[in-house]
Amino acid sequence: MKKITYGLGLSLTLLTGCSSVAHNSGLKTTQSNTVTVEFVGNATYSVPQQQGTVSLYALETGLADAPATLIQQKQVQVSQVPFTVNFTVPADHKKLIQPTVRGDAEITYYVTWESATQNLTGKDAIVIDYDRKFPRVKLGSGKQQIYLK
């Protein structure tokens, strides 16, 4: 009798734990629709006024040699580093990703910077420091830093 009671109690405990985990993961996916990116250098400094495009890309993590899909772009005016860009990602953005991904697929996101000003010297141009850290970001993870040269 003790074994049956113990087994039943253990089963209920496991089932309760499984249902709460599933509930939390469902909650996380519906709330994870923003990305806040802070572009930082070695210090705070001014740069000549320049316009650029910050792009958010996505691709399935397990795919090799697949092109990333553009999810969103923002035009920004920059005169100082650090600067922040906010993206609001649509809840159904996975439908945009090519090649088509499964609903439960793990997705990698990253950002790029492209300056619209062609006449900047090397020291004034804003450039992502890919050697320091690749500019990957995660949805719903608060402010994330991207390093500049």
Side-chain angles (χ1 to χ4, degrees):
M1 187 68 172
K2 286 183 183 181
K3 288 182 182 180
I4 293 173
T5 306
Y6 177 73
L8 184 59
L10 183 60
S11 297
L12 285 174
T13 302
L14 289 174
L15 287 174
T16 304
C18 291
S19 66
S20 69
V21 169
H23 177 70
N24 288 342
S25 66
L27 182 63
K28 185 182 282 187
T29 58
T30 59
Q31 292 179 345
S32 301
N33 62 352
T34 61
V35 177
T36 301
V37 182
E38 181 180 33
F39 290 85
V40 298
N42 292 331
T44 298
Y45 56 91
S46 295
V47 294
Q49 181 80 19
Q50 52 191 290
Q51 183 172 338
T53 304
V54 179
S55 302
L56 175 66
Y57 288 92
L59 72 150
E60 187 172 354
T61 302
L63 288 181
D65 300 327
T69 301
L70 176 65
I71 299 298
Q72 196 173 61
Q73 286 185 322
K74 295 271 184 144
Q75 299 289 327
V76 295
Q77 290 282 336
V78 178
S79 60
Q80 183 173 335
V81 172
F83 63 95
T84 303
V85 177
N86 296 308
F87 291 101
T88 302
V89 180
D92 64 346
H93 72 280
K94 288 185 179 182
K95 293 179 183 176
L96 303 172
I97 300 173
Q98 294 296 321
T100 305
V101 297
R102 297 181 324 271
D104 64 342
E106 186 176 336
I107 306 297
T108 298
Y109 301 91
Y110 67 93
V111 295
T112 62
W113 162 267
E114 185 177 335
S115 180
T117 309
Q118 305 301 325
N119 299 330
L120 293 175
T121 62
K123 70 178 182 94
D124 293 333
I126 294 175
V127 178
I128 293 178
D129 190 351
Y130 290 94
D131 294 330
R132 188 168 177 187
K133 181 183 172 196
F134 191 79
R136 281 187 184 89
V137 293
K138 293 183 180 180
L139 297 183
S141 293
K143 189 183 288 185
Q144 299 166 73
Q145 293 184 331
I146 302 297
Y147 298 105
L148 302 174
K149 289 184 180 182

